[in-house]
Amino acid sequence: MAPRKPSVMRPAREVAIVAFGQTRHQRSTDELSEVEMLMPVLHEVLAATGLKTSDIGFTCSGSSDYLAGRAFSFTMALDGVGAWPPISESHVEMDGAWALYEAWTKLQTGEADTALVYSYGKSSPGSVRDVLTRQLDPYYVAPLWPDAVALAALQAQALIDAGETDEPALAGIATRSRASADANPHAQLGSSAGQGDYAVRPLRTGDCPPVGDGAAAVILAAGDRARDLCARPAWIRGIDHRIEAHALGVRDLTASPSTRLAAERAGVFERPVDTAELHAPFTSQEVVLRKALGLGDDVDVNPSGGALAANPVMAAGLIRLGEAAARIHRGASDRAVAHATSGPCLQQNLVAVLEGDAR
Amino acid sequence: MGKEPVAVVGIGQTKHVAARQDVSIAGLVREAAQRALSDAELSWVDIDAVVIGKAPDFFEGVMMPELYLADALGAVGKPMLRVHTAGSVGGSTALVAANLVAGRVHGTVLTLAFEKQSESNAMWGLSLPIPFQQPLLAGAGGFFAPHVRAYMRRTGAPDSVGSLVAYKDRRNALKNPYAHLHERDITLEKVQASPMLWDPIRYSETCPSSDGACAMILTDRAGAARSPRPPAWMHGGAMRSEPTLFAGKDFVSPQAGKDCAADVYRQAGIADPRREIDAVEMYVPFSWYEPMWLENLGFAAEGEGWKLTESGVTELEGDLPVNMSGGVLSTNPIGASGMIRFAEAALQVRGQAGEHQVDGARRALGHAYGGGSQFFSMWLVGAEPPTT
């Protein structure tokens, strides 16, 4: 990947996450439509700030038609928001973390002071392993149906071959993450989930994320508006995202230059962080991300349990930003890094630095 | 500190056709992007970020195709965003890219929208059965025809207006080398004699299915100063959405469209759009939407839009030309159709629209809508930089 100017991008306007809500993620939600799954979460963040839909300056969502199995699936969710009178609104066909990025950009223009961001995904109606193969190169790769677990296993084996990790170390990541999730009422899996058998060598089921359904929402606010809405706003000091080549054959799967670059632009390396919420659906990916972000052992990584405890596709990245922000809100963190990923083997990565005001 | 002014310095599109069997999706988007870069006399390294849009992924059968397209669009090592707001997406995509410049997040951004409809079947993509929701098995025409009928009933517009629009747009398309339909033998009689598809919408009053892509290079003031050709300046841009279905919805003239236009005019300092705007590219997939949107966008009083169309004002030689390029009626790569409207508006104020150039166009409106008329995106571009 061609190196670009690794300068820190300093946002002109102070913007913070002031509220976060998520569902209790579940293996299956047959009894709920996507809108029904999302509605309580929307109400939760609005109630937390006292805002009404009509008070929100900009709304942006993230979702995927391929999970829903229908075109324009986001239009029904918009009806649930209650877009009347008409609202200023947009949608990314990506994880909600990128919807947050679009909303943050909108607030940078000064055209809005508050934003509602939400995302959702139901993996239960189909086979998410099969569905995700459809996002690969449609001419040369997708016809072979290589699934996300198989691709992650290639990455894990490359890391083991490079001496960066081994199977016991990966099991340790799984155990630590799921033990943390015991304290997270939204998590789908806790410490009772074992390492299990091989899914695709060298990955065992414990190295893989659970398949599940879930939704999340955050509210962003700028400057004094954020201070009005939240006792301790989680200020977004920097946020950036980068993409890499799609073909696995042209990438070094043991490194994540896009995460590194986004982190440089977001200012991660200016001062130490105390918390990291990493969107690493596979244990092996945490190894790659820790290295790219330069995280030491003193950093609390995925205190929520991370994507190994709950991985609602299209919401799991936004949840990392929300979890990091919530820790700042409640005073458990002063400076956190949050990360989201998209595409096979960490192809696309978003990094944000969140800070609370000094105490 | 106000917003950074946003300039369009590069525009590129493909020759739109029913099936581009000579290129992959990647080849198609690369062609449009390369033309936009050439127009701006820039290269891939000058681009800081890429914002891409298209309509539903089911239209080509590729989930989140931006991942696979990163290499083709020179996005490796850069930020890449994928926007999807139904039929309005081409416009929304341009506005998201513009916000990156306006918010001073990036200096120069490539924005692109595409659809390669020949790789799949759009009618199928819109018709997947979902429990507890009404299917759209008749495609878009079946959804919109009753709203056209409501417009006719409400305004007393004669049956002939729809065919006038189609005849005009198809003739305009003959002047646009990139337009899909080039019906050299088109006559008003042929439009009127074409088969009725969804009463009152005739075959020749509907858009085609196209393969195509459209790209633009947006940049800040410093980037505009280096532009080899006159830039188009953004004077206003907005998106508005309203629910798909609810008791108070006016499908003939949705409130979200009115609000969106009002926001754009406020930003651009436009008090009287009919007098102050020189040319309009609006999203007209079925011919009757020209008079409907003329009212919705404030160019005509309620019930009067069809009179503007009938009087010839919206012809290429009229004093409010509409869809100089031939419009969506002549070219419809769905996800790109909104961006083509925005790009054509920019071409006009740059004086680069060739045979379909409106003499002296200084301010032009680009308009897109989507879904069940619930998503709107618009921008107003001018030949001069904005003063505020």
Side-chain angles (χ1 to χ4, degrees), chain B residues 29-50:
Chain B
V29 298
R30 177 106 178 164
E31 194 174 294
Q34 187 68 67
R35 284 176 185 163
L37 285 169
S38 300
D39 184 21
E41 294 183 16
L42 296 175
S43 67
W44 298 99
V45 295
D46 299 311
I47 300 300
D48 298 316
V50 178

Side-chain angles (χ1 to χ4, degrees), chain A residues 66 128-152 154 245-249 251 342-347, chain B residues 25 57 60-71 119:
Chain A
Y66 257 79
V128 73
R129 279 174 77 162
D130 291 339
V131 170
L132 290 175
T133 66
R134 302 299 89 192
Q135 66 177 203
L136 303 171
D137 176 320
Y139 304 103
Y140 296 109
V141 185
L144 304 173
W145 295 86
D147 72 34
V149 179
L151 297 179
L154 281 177
H246 183 63
L248 299 183
R251 288 157 60 189
S342 177
C345 297
L346 303 173
Q347 186 193 348
Chain B
I25 299 171
D57 291 3
E60 287 83 9
V62 187
M63 178 186 186
M64 301 165 76
E66 71 279 4
L67 295 166
Y68 137 74
L69 292 172
D71 308 60
E119 304 236 347

Side-chain angles (χ1 to χ4, degrees), chain B residues 38-265:
Chain B
S38 300
D39 184 21
E41 294 183 16
L42 296 175
S43 67
W44 298 99
V45 295
D46 299 311
I47 300 300
D48 298 316
V50 178
V51 184
I52 183 171
K54 66 175 269 23
D57 291 3
F58 285 109
F59 281 2
E60 287 83 9
V62 187
M63 178 186 186
M64 301 165 76
E66 71 279 4
L67 295 166
Y68 137 74
L69 292 172
D71 308 60
L73 291 173
V76 171
K78 297 173 189 176
M80 187 173 196
L81 267 175
R82 157 74 192 287
V83 179
H84 178 198
T85 63
S88 66
V89 64
S92 305
T93 303
L95 293 179
V96 173
N99 280 344
L100 288 172
V101 176
R104 298 189 176 84
V105 179
H106 293 295
T108 301
V109 178
L110 166 67
T111 185
L112 180 140
F114 77 96
E115 208 73 69
K116 198 162 190 295
Q117 289 188 235
S118 66
E119 304 236 347
S120 185
N121 184 322
M123 187 80 92
W124 174 86
L126 286 174
S127 303
L128 299 172
I130 298 297
F132 312 116
Q133 284 171 24
Q134 64 181 33
L136 197 63
L137 295 170
F143 182 86
F144 290 115
H147 309 314
V148 170
R149 186 58 78 186
Y151 173 77
M152 295 168 77
R153 188 176 297 122
R154 196 187 285 189
T155 64
D159 292 355
S160 54
V161 174
S163 45
L164 290 175
V165 174
Y167 178 51
K168 164 181 71 81
D169 285 2
R170 295 277 162 82
R171 277 181 293 132
N172 288 352
L174 294 172
K175 299 177 186 294
N176 175 7
Y178 294 105
H180 175 176
L181 297 183
H182 281 157
E183 297 182 332
R184 303 211 174 272
D185 55 350
I186 188 80
T187 64
L188 183 57
E189 291 69 32
K190 282 188 179 175
V191 174
Q192 288 166 338
S194 68
M196 190 66 82
L197 292 186
W198 305 275
D199 195 352
I201 300 173
R202 292 181 181 280
Y203 176 77
S204 291
E205 297 170 359
T206 69
C207 50
S209 283
S210 313
D211 284 359
C214 179
M216 289 190 285
I217 312 292
L218 307 183
T219 192
D220 55 15
R221 207 187 321 238
R226 295 190 292 268
S227 173
R229 277 175 271 281
W233 293 93
M234 182 172 161
H235 289 224
M239 294 185 228
R240 283 295 183 283
S241 308
E242 66 183 39
T244 322
L245 303 164
F246 73 108
K249 183 170 171 102
D250 184 349
F251 280 97
V252 171
S253 189
Q255 188 63 39
K258 293 181 187 176
D259 290 0
C260 191
D263 192 359
V264 170
Y265 300 155

